[in-house]
Amino acid sequence: MQTVIKVTPSQLKKIANYYTKNPTLRLPNGALFSVKNGGTTITGYRSGKVMFQGTRFAEEAARWQTDTDSSPNTANSTSIIKKNTTPGMSIPAGFANWSVIGSDEVGAGAYFGPLTTAAVFVSKENISWVRQLGISDSKTLTDDKMRQIAPEIIAHLPHHVINLMPEKYNQMQPENNVNQLKAISHNFVLNKVLTKIEPLTPDAILIDQFAQESTYFKYLLNAKQPNIVRQNVYFTTKGEQYHLSVAAASILARVVELDTMSKLSQEAGMQLPIGAGHAVDLVAAKLMQQGVDLRHFAKLHFANTKKAQKILS
């Protein structure tokens, strides 16, 4: 994984001087310096671009993004970080230190349970506190750890979660594909958080990307959604690596999903597995055999429904 920032000649010299004590690597074409700092390789080019590659690329780049006049309203806001996994998408330099509402969803690929979407506002004043929670790499946290962190997020940060339960999901799905349902959910929670923080406005909104920007807004227009959030909206995959607000939203969504799955499992009288594998087919077949209405527990358009029926027959 990597990040590239654009800096001025004086900033480039400052970065080079900072890393002079680090092990020097072989210089690529056009490079002024290339060094190793822990698990991150930093390479500065004559063009003014500095590349950060490795396990802590985002954190190391953030060290210099605050030094490049990179707040949203400065003249240098054209400096960008380019994410190598999303052609055409860019996140402004210094973004990790902005006041941002981040949103993420879970459950879209699971047969049983809800589609859960959360949004969280992390102001620049709260970034240090949120970082201390240890959520910067939220995807690697265990469920138990997320359960410990979620109450802290709920108590201290403006947030909103929507839990699209299977029955409502099944009502909406025939006219809305899963990505359209995601878009509707993201727009809903973002509006809720924007209302909660009024009269404050965030520097930006970051959506953990599941569709191209144009497609996302097309989904909302087709669904005739009111109050479409458009201003200062950014999209990128692995959004938690770019701002802690997405990491916080991911944790909230996951914990709500887990709690909901526990409740649904109690109602079903058996453990409902998360996912869409063969174990799901077997449990769905058992529920069908018992005459249970799966609309209450599952997303019926999944292929698992037919697979379960085949098991019974």
Side-chain angles (χ1 to χ4, degrees), residues 77-97:
S77 61
T78 53
S79 296
I80 60 172
I81 299 174
K82 291 186 177 179
K83 186 167 175 48
N84 62 332
T85 57
T86 311
M89 289 298 298
S90 62
I91 300 296
F95 192 89
N97 300 303

Side-chain angles (χ1 to χ4, degrees), residues 145-173:
K145 184 63 176 177
M146 285 191 280
R147 288 186 185 278
Q148 294 174 19
I149 294 173
E152 296 289 332
I153 295 172
I154 291 170
H156 291 92
L157 302 174
H159 64 279
H160 196 84
V161 182
I162 182 172
N163 217 19
L164 191 59
M165 296 297 287
E167 286 191 55
K168 183 65 175 178
Y169 180 101
N170 289 321
Q171 290 176 12
M172 297 177 68
Q173 188 275 325

Side-chain angles (χ1 to χ4, degrees), residues 118-275:
V120 177
F121 175 58
V122 177
S123 67
K124 61 184 68 175
E125 293 79 12
N126 280 325
I127 288 173
S128 295
W129 176 83
V130 175
R131 188 174 287 119
Q132 291 174 4
L133 294 177
I135 69 172
S136 58
D137 198 0
S138 59
K139 301 301 185 184
T140 67
L141 297 178
T142 64
D143 290 344
D144 287 342
K145 184 63 176 177
M146 285 191 280
R147 288 186 185 278
Q148 294 174 19
I149 294 173
E152 296 289 332
I153 295 172
I154 291 170
H156 291 92
L157 302 174
H159 64 279
H160 196 84
V161 182
I162 182 172
N163 217 19
L164 191 59
M165 296 297 287
E167 286 191 55
K168 183 65 175 178
Y169 180 101
N170 289 321
Q171 290 176 12
M172 297 177 68
Q173 188 275 325
E175 296 182 1
N176 304 276
N177 66 37
V178 64
N179 278 346
Q180 189 158 316
L181 290 174
K182 288 183 187 180
I184 292 169
S185 298
H186 276 265
N187 191 65
F188 181 84
V189 294
L190 291 171
N191 267 303
K192 288 292 185 180
V193 176
L194 284 168
T195 299
K196 289 178 180 180
I197 68 174
E198 287 179 342
L200 292 175
T201 56
D203 296 330
I205 289 168
L206 181 59
I207 297 175
D208 199 61
Q209 188 175 17
F210 55 87
Q212 291 298 315
E213 178 179 353
S214 59
T215 304
Y216 171 87
F217 287 116
K218 183 178 180 180
Y219 285 142
L220 295 176
L221 288 171
N222 289 344
K224 299 180 180 179
Q225 291 300 290
N227 302 320
I228 296 177
V229 178
R230 291 181 176 272
Q231 187 171 2
N232 297 325
V233 178
Y234 294 85
F235 299 80
T236 186
T237 57
K238 299 182 180 179
E240 71 280 357
Q241 296 180 2
Y242 289 87
H243 202 277
L244 291 171
S245 59
V246 176
S250 177
I251 289 170
L252 281 194
R254 174 63 174 171
V255 170
V256 171
E257 179 198 32
L258 290 172
D259 290 345
T260 304
M261 287 296 291
S262 178
K263 181 180 178 181
L264 288 174
S265 293
Q266 290 179 352
E267 293 176 6
M270 64 184 73
Q271 184 65 40
L272 301 179
I274 293 178

